[in-house]
């Protein structure tokens, strides 16, 4: 059986039971294909890295263990974890500080919303959070699924989990398969956490250290949108991890020299790199060159096969960013397709 055939089959399967068997099958296949007797030795970072954005989130609800196991079998270089603290300070792997766009929290705990009508991860204990069903992402106001052609909302039996649980999955698979797939954690909204009396950076760094991630040669890249907090992580908390400064707003692209004082790379939105098409050729901003001049790696977000925007195909999208704009890596909801594309080069 071929791994690619199974992954393609999974896209067409909505029966949850069959799908779970397939995810298990992929992992077993990967184990049988990849197991070696020798322990992996740390290798230098590849010239183009693929990050499974929230797991294999194009195929299964984001940040579920199932999405991470499937992503693992697709052989990206890193798997991403977004992190928000629970009431009892457990780093939960979830993209938003709110629970209500990926879970059934509004039905399960209807009286636990704040005045703004939203349900916050930080208001629930980890034990309560684990009781929630996870759904494919939807709009909390109208209930509509965000990507209509992805995994059907409300189907299946998915749960949220902690950073520790996910590290144990990835490290466990690394050990049983002989692969060396890394983690790529992002602390979400540290300022919000500080206002709530919690230090998400400190808590996360200490868990990472417990699991052996302390230096740039460990397979862990740490990312954050908040520049002050990432600078604090390097200078005050003395982290020696590989740090990526995420960039949200165009004006931040002018702060590269400052970012280079503490970060090892930047993570810009791809639209800050790709400018426009002139006479059939894509033009680029100077961002990638400017970053490389300062010795900063560039990992761009987010490549999606079902949201091509200005590109005519997903292959074009990958090729333009990775080979013409010359970024060093990308986040993708469809890591299998990016890995496959790179294998053909
Ligand atoms: Ca993220």
């Amino acid at each position: 059986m071929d791994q690619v055939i199974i992954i393609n089959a999974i896209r067409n399967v909505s029966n949850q039971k069959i799908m779970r068997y397939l995810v298990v099958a992929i992992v077993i296949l990967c184990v049988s294909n990849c197991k070696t007797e020798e322990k992996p030795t740390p290798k230098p970072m590849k010239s183009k890295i693929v990050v499974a954005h929230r797991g294999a989130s194009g195929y299964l609800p984001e940040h579920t263990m199932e999405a991470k196991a499937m992503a693992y079998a697709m052989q990206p270089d890193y798997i991403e974890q977004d992190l928000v603290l629970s009431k009892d300070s457990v780093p939960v792997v979830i993209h938003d500080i709110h629970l209500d766009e990926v879970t059934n929290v509004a039905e399960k705990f209807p009286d636990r919303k704040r005045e703004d009508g939203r349900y916050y991860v930080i208001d629930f204990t980890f034990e309560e959070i684990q009781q929630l069903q996870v759904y494919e992402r939807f709009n909390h106001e109208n209930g509509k699924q965000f990507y209509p052609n992805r995994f059907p909302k409300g189907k299946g039996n998915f749960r949220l989990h902690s950073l520790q649980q996910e590290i144990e999955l990835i490290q466990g698979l690394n050990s049983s398969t002989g692969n060396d797939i890394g983690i790529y954690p992002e602390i979400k909204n540290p300022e919000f956490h500080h206002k709530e009396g919690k230090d998400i950076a400190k808590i996360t760094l200490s868990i990472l250290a417990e699991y052996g991630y302390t230096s740039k040669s460990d397979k862990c890249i740490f990312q954050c949108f908040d520049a002050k907090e990432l600078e604090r992580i390097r200078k005050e908390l003395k982290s020696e991890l590989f740090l990526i400064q995420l960039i949200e707003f165009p004006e931040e692209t002018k702060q590269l020299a400052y970012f280079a004082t503490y970060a090892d790379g930047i993570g810009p939105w791809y639209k800050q790199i790709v400018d426009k098409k002139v006479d059939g050729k894509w033009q680029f901003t100077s961002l990638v060159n400017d970053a490389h001049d300062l010795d900063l790696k560039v990992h761009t977000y987010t490549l999606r096969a079902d949201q091509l925007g200005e590109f005519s195909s997903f292959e074009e999208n990958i090729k333009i960013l990775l080979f013409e704009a010359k970024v060093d890596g990308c986040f993708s909801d469809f890591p299998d397709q990016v890995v496959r594309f790179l294998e053909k080069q």
Side-chain angles (χ1 to χ4, degrees):
M1 258 198 310
D2 182 81
Q3 195 169 321
V4 173
I5 294 171
I6 301 178
I7 289 166
N8 283 338
I10 230 170
R11 299 183 66 182
N12 302 318
V13 172
S14 58
N15 183 304
Q16 175 64 14
K17 209 167 175 186
I18 295 174
M19 197 209 61
R20 275 176 179 268
Y21 287 134
L22 281 173
V23 170
V24 171
I26 290 172
V27 173
I28 291 168
L29 189 69
C30 182
V31 169
S32 61
N33 277 349
C34 313
K35 188 155 186 167
T36 56
E37 293 304 312
E38 286 157 35
K39 270 201 146 193
T41 43
K43 293 178 207 129
M45 199 176 284
K46 287 205 310 217
S47 64
K48 306 283 177 201
I49 67 148
V50 182
V51 186
H53 182 246
R54 311 182 198 172
S57 58
Y59 305 106
L60 281 164
E62 65 185 51
H63 286 319
T64 57
M65 280 296 203
E66 288 82 354
K68 302 305 170 98
M70 189 176 183
Y72 190 97
M74 293 171 169
Q75 304 273 292
D77 301 285
Y78 294 85
I79 298 174
E80 190 201 28
Q81 302 78 34
D82 290 309
L83 301 171
V84 179
L85 292 180
S86 65
K87 192 176 186 176
D88 45 350
S89 296
V90 176
V92 180
V93 182
I94 184 168
H95 181 266
D96 309 333
I97 57 170
H98 306 120
L99 286 160
D100 46 26
E101 295 204 312
V102 288
T103 74
N104 66 341
V105 65
E107 290 96 61
K108 181 99 182 153
F109 298 103
D111 55 346
R112 301 276 295 275
K113 56 177 179 275
R114 289 194 183 184
E115 271 178 16
D116 62 2
R118 305 300 303 270
Y119 297 82
Y120 287 73
V121 177
I122 213 157
D123 293 339
F124 292 81
T125 63
F126 184 58
E127 198 269 326
E128 288 170 332
I129 284 169
Q130 284 187 301
Q131 296 170 30
L132 301 173
Q133 292 275 353
V134 177
Y135 296 159
E136 178 64 35
R137 176 169 288 277
F138 61 96
N139 180 312
H140 75 278
E141 282 172 346
N142 60 25
K144 268 178 89 178
Q145 182 165 336
F146 201 78
Y147 296 98
N149 297 323
R150 292 193 180 181
F151 197 89
K153 178 197 157 200
K155 300 287 183 189
N157 178 22
F158 303 104
R159 304 282 159 167
L160 292 167
H161 58 267
S162 67
L163 172 63
Q164 294 94 317
Q165 289 169 331
E166 185 164 332
I167 292 176
E168 289 182 13
L169 174 81
I170 294 170
Q171 290 193 343
L173 283 167
N174 281 344
S175 143
S176 60
T177 64
N179 288 313
D180 186 23
I181 291 178
I183 60 169
Y184 206 129
E186 177 190 351
I187 52 166
K188 303 302 288 190
N189 211 330
E191 204 182 330
F192 167 81
H193 282 90
H194 283 305
K195 279 187 195 142
E196 296 282 330
K198 292 189 191 293
D199 191 340
I200 187 170
K202 230 177 185 169
I203 290 172
T204 302
L205 289 174
S206 123
I207 291 166
L208 293 175
E210 259 175 58
Y211 283 91
Y213 302 110
T214 54
S215 76
K216 288 189 220 294
S217 61
D218 298 318
K219 209 74 190 286
C220 172
I221 298 182
F222 191 103
Q223 44 166 346
C224 188
F225 275 105
D226 185 325
K228 279 218 157 10
E229 191 73 6
L230 202 63
E231 184 183 22
R232 170 179 175 250
I233 285 165
R234 177 71 85 217
K235 295 181 180 168
E236 196 184 310
L237 302 180
K238 308 273 184 222
S239 172
E240 290 169 19
L241 288 170
F242 195 98
L243 302 183
I244 286 278
Q245 177 63 57
L246 296 169
I247 296 178
E248 185 172 10
F249 304 109
E251 59 270 22
E252 291 172 306
T253 60
K254 298 186 188 93
Q255 292 183 281
L256 292 189
Y258 159 55
F259 297 157
T261 64
Y262 58 87
D264 302 288
I266 55 166
W269 187 26
Y270 79 90
K271 282 183 191 276
Q272 291 156 354
I273 295 168
V274 177
D275 194 3
K276 56 182 181 292
K277 227 173 181 174
V278 178
D279 299 331
K281 262 193 88 68
W282 287 104
Q283 309 291 305
F284 304 105
T285 66
S286 65
L287 185 62
V288 176
N289 282 339
D290 294 347
H292 286 166
D293 285 346
L294 289 160
D295 223 9
L296 292 167
K297 296 278 188 201
V298 182
H299 297 166
T300 191
Y301 64 88
T302 303
L303 275 54
R304 296 184 171 104
D306 58 355
Q307 195 181 57
L308 292 173
E310 52 278 77
F311 301 105
S312 56
S313 69
F314 194 46
E315 291 222 333
E316 184 196 18
N317 188 347
I318 302 167
K319 190 177 91 176
I320 297 297
L321 265 307
L322 287 176
F323 292 98
E324 294 193 21
K326 296 189 171 61
V327 301
D328 307 290
C330 68
F331 293 85
S332 179
D333 294 359
F334 299 85
D336 55 330
Q337 297 189 44
V338 186
V339 168
R340 216 149 54 216
F341 182 87
L342 288 175
E343 278 168 0
K344 284 193 289 183
Q345 302 310 300

